Amino acid sequence: MKSWLSSLAVVLAVVLAGALLAARGSEGREGKEALLKAEAVFGADAASRGVDGWLDHFAPDAAIFPAGEPVIVGLGKIRDYYTRTGFSPKGLTWKPQEAFLAASGDLGYTFGTWEATGADAEGKPAVHTGKYLTVWRRQPDGAWKVAADIGNADPRKAPAH
Amino acid sequence: MKSWLSSLAVVLAVVLAGALLAARGSEGREGKEALLKAEAVFGADAASRGVDGWLDHFAPDAAIFPAGEPVIVGLGKIRDYYTRTGFSPKGLTWKPQEAFLAASGDLGYTFGTWEATGADAEGKPAVHTGKYLTVWRRQPDGAWKVAADIGNADPRKAPAH
């Protein structure tokens, strides 16, 4: 019985050490690459499928921070807001500059710059730019989804005459 | 010798299980409260000591996202930017709405609303409002510091006449 307990303890020690090491490992290069890949797929889906492709990458309890509105929390409310405002991510591209993960590999963040092509007040083509910060949470199925996403805009440059 | 190994294995299993449980535990209420407390101290220090009090709460590799500038990464560069622009957090207050932590308790985020009292273009008192998202990283000494901090501003309301 005592020997059985010792064997169990050895197995437990190995399993737990493995779990800890796995958690630490996801902090490293592999985890970062998974996060950056999730962000690239997010961008590709938004470009090809518009708001539905965009929303597929949001966690059920995600938060967005549109100017002039309260924080909007929850996928249903975010969808309602986009419907109400006619938001479309088409013409919006972004480029992550960094990605970081928690040691446990369940939370991470990326930040970088965005660029949107649209029209100015006179209907002429215009490019807007800015920066963003996105917090990602790993879902029970292992997929990375957006938990919080905020951006700000650079001041408009005076158009060239 | 074999018994010595078994005892070591038992000790290891207990220690590792404890570490895992501790990490999970920090995801809960206690961890959130620690993060919200760090944010409250951040606000109090900024209000009482200005930019020095503000910067005390930034991690060495923190990132900020000022409009019209590239992402600024690193405490030294952030300080330079604030010096150059004359930034002061006095008159700026903010209120966290939510706080979340990674299972490992080394990364978290808060978001909420900010309010700044200042002057409008004509020098009359004006209140600006907006929202923010802050990512926090626990430092080797256990202190929570800002790893990334971004805000956006609500559109200015037309002044009452």
Side-chain angles (χ1 to χ4, degrees), chain B residues 11-73:
Chain B
V11 169
L12 262 180
V14 169
V15 167
L16 291 173
L20 275 181
L21 285 173
R24 296 255 159 233
S26 62
E27 191 184 12
R29 197 167 150 182
E30 209 174 305
K32 270 195 189 187
E33 275 170 15
L35 196 48
L36 290 170
K37 194 181 166 189
E39 181 141 337
V41 177
F42 177 26
D45 278 352
S48 64
R49 299 198 292 119
V51 76
D52 288 330
W54 171 276
L55 279 170
D56 277 357
H57 295 269
F58 278 68
D61 58 348
I64 63 167
F65 305 82
E69 301 273 343
V71 182
I72 300 178
V73 179

Side-chain angles (χ1 to χ4, degrees), chain A residues 20 25 30 34 49 53 65 74 100 117 127 136 149 151 155:
Chain A
L20 273 182
E30 207 174 310
R49 299 197 293 118
F65 305 83
F100 295 96
T117 53
V127 175
W136 296 82
D149 185 47

Side-chain angles (χ1 to χ4, degrees), chain A residues 52-133:
Chain A
D52 288 329
W54 169 277
L55 280 170
D56 276 357
H57 296 268
F58 279 68
D61 58 348
I64 63 167
F65 305 83
E69 300 273 344
V71 182
I72 300 177
V73 179
L75 197 50
K77 284 184 184 165
I78 293 173
R79 189 181 292 275
D80 290 348
Y81 169 74
Y82 288 154
T83 304
R84 175 160 60 84
T85 56
F87 167 76
S88 169
K90 294 202 175 184
L92 175 67
T93 57
W94 62 96
K95 207 165 78 177
Q97 184 175 328
E98 293 278 1
F100 295 96
L101 270 86
S104 45
D106 61 332
L107 195 73
Y109 64 103
T110 55
F111 58 75
T113 51
W114 59 264
E115 190 174 300
T117 53
D120 67 10
E122 293 162 4
K124 289 180 192 158
V127 175
H128 307 296
T129 60
K131 292 180 288 298
Y132 71 90
L133 172 63

Side-chain angles (χ1 to χ4, degrees), chain B residues 66-142:
Chain B
E69 301 273 343
V71 182
I72 300 178
V73 179
L75 198 51
K77 285 184 182 164
I78 293 173
R79 190 181 293 275
D80 290 348
Y81 169 75
Y82 288 155
T83 304
R84 175 159 62 83
T85 56
F87 167 78
S88 168
K90 292 200 177 184
L92 176 66
T93 56
W94 62 95
K95 206 165 79 177
Q97 184 175 326
E98 291 279 0
F100 295 95
L101 271 86
S104 45
D106 61 332
L107 195 73
Y109 64 103
T110 55
F111 58 74
T113 50
W114 59 263
E115 191 174 301
T117 53
D120 66 11
E122 294 162 5
K124 289 180 192 157
V127 175
H128 307 295
T129 60
K131 293 179 287 299
Y132 70 90
L133 172 62
T134 304
V135 175
W136 297 81
R137 199 178 302 128
R138 214 163 171 187
Q139 303 301 301
D141 68 356

